[in-house]
Amino acid sequence: MTGKIPDSSDLRRVFEKAFEVAQHQVKRLADNHPDYFPLYTEHGKWRHGGEAWTNWCEGFLPGMMWLFHERTGDADWRRRAEHYSRLIEPRKDDREVHDLGFLFYHGTYRRWYEATVREGKPDEALQAVVVHAGRTLAKRFQEKGQYLCSFVRPESCFIDIMMNVPVIWYAGLAADDEKLLAVARAHCETTRRYLVRGDGSTAHEAMFDPETGECLRQTTHQGYRGDSCWSRGLAWAVYGFATCAKLTKGAVWLDTAVRCSDYLVQQLAADLVPAWDFDAPADQRQQKDSSAGAIMAAGLFELADAFELIGQGGTAPANLRAYGMMALGALCCDPYLASPDSDWEGILKHGVYHVHKNLGVDESVMWGEFFFCDALHRALTLLDEGFGMKGR
Ligand code: GLY
């Protein structure tokens, strides 16, 4: 499957249209299935009896509502965002998953708190929920191997956790808690050492000896093989290390995000949308993962912001943003962007959840929807601020 890339002079129109489509589809989902938190579609439909594998996606629907409210100021999106955020507040005590950063940092209460800050009425009770979630996630820390363990078992560390560790950095900084900061730092160092390879590619999972803390091997659940590069995991690494760099001004996390993004960009085909695994056999690489493309686009914008905040990079931020815009533009075209006039209920087609379990393969996936909206909001804000694509 090969998509198109829109002309750079047409990007604003393309992004605005995609943002409209996104709002239409999310409204349709919330109206048709009130208080329902889906993970992936089956044949384009959100409601089905398919296995969840793990419950990590409940922040993404309210997260999109927060993004829509932030961009449009629409009071109805605010009402919906608050309602769906409240529904997941009890998850701040969830010890079963490693995903509290997706739920509370990327998706809900941090965005809600920041909305009150922008309005000049900071609501500290909202920030306290994020800090609480950070403290809960920190309880997954394994002293022996110095990492936060995945939901699978204590010996397992996932690259995905790089998207969740920001909630611990955030909590440590907000509460001035050195113990939380030390947990976040150690997890990032362990991930950088054992899950990011010398060429900038990433493993999905590393397994540790629970007695000695020694790293035993790289493995995978959702990638092609333990030694392959699962594209979504690599996109999580780019975005996750970039956020850690932004929160801490840590040059080492910036450097890691850059190495991962360089590898990611090198692997892309002409249409700029990643295959689900860069090392899968050629016939299987035909299967794209549009969600990895959306995370990558948003992650490149995040990386550009981190460069600027740390005061490094020269032309790097502008180049990253231009590349992110083109990659995002590809997702706004056929065959990726769904038509709101069709029966397909998602926004982005051709995402992948779990190939080996045959869950959500070539479907819309909730995290793909959310990071697509995240990237669109960032791109449109850059264009509003005068970012120019001319000559690129
Ligand atoms: N488990 C997170 C993901 O599927 O990317």
Side-chain angles (χ1 to χ4, degrees), residues 246-384:
K246 244 172 97 170
L247 286 170
T248 64
K249 298 201 178 153
V252 66
W253 316 134
L254 183 76
D255 171 70
T256 310
V258 169
R259 284 201 291 124
C260 294
S261 71
D262 284 349
Y263 188 84
L264 180 44
V265 165
Q266 280 163 27
Q267 299 305 310
L268 294 179
D271 75 350
L272 305 184
V273 181
W276 72 280
D277 189 301
F278 293 126
D279 298 304
D283 57 328
Q284 291 193 35
R285 279 204 310 275
Q286 299 305 312
Q287 176 62 60
K288 302 283 190 170
D289 180 6
S290 60
S291 77
I295 298 157
M296 173 186 76
L300 294 179
F301 295 141
E302 181 83 343
L303 185 52
D305 292 351
F307 260 117
E308 276 182 353
L309 205 79
I310 294 178
Q312 288 184 7
T315 56
N319 292 339
L320 288 164
R321 286 172 181 143
Y323 198 89
M325 295 242 180
M326 297 315 290
L328 182 61
L331 295 175
C332 297
C333 295
D334 249 5
Y336 297 104
L337 186 68
S339 161
D341 304 326
S342 74
D343 288 343
W344 194 275
E345 293 176 355
I347 305 165
L348 258 194
K349 293 173 149 182
H350 307 296
V352 172
Y353 184 20
H354 200 310
V355 165
H356 306 297
K357 284 178 173 284
N358 196 23
L359 303 177
V361 178
D362 211 29
E363 294 287 344
S364 292
V365 294
M366 254 301 143
W367 55 96
E369 314 283 81
F370 171 76
F371 287 102
F372 181 57
C373 293
D374 176 13
L376 285 171
H377 180 36
R378 290 168 188 258
L380 285 165
T381 305
L382 284 166
L383 294 173
D384 292 344

Side-chain angles (χ1 to χ4, degrees), residues 53-54 56-57 98-99 102 151 158 160 204 222 230 232-233 236 289 291 295 352-354 367:
W53 186 44
T54 168
W56 60 288
C57 290
H98 56 252
D99 301 296
F102 284 131
F151 81 100
F158 279 11
D160 325 19
H204 181 191
Q222 288 157 282
W230 173 51
R232 189 158 73 250
W236 290 143
D289 180 6
S291 77
I295 298 157
V352 172
Y353 184 20
H354 200 310
W367 55 96

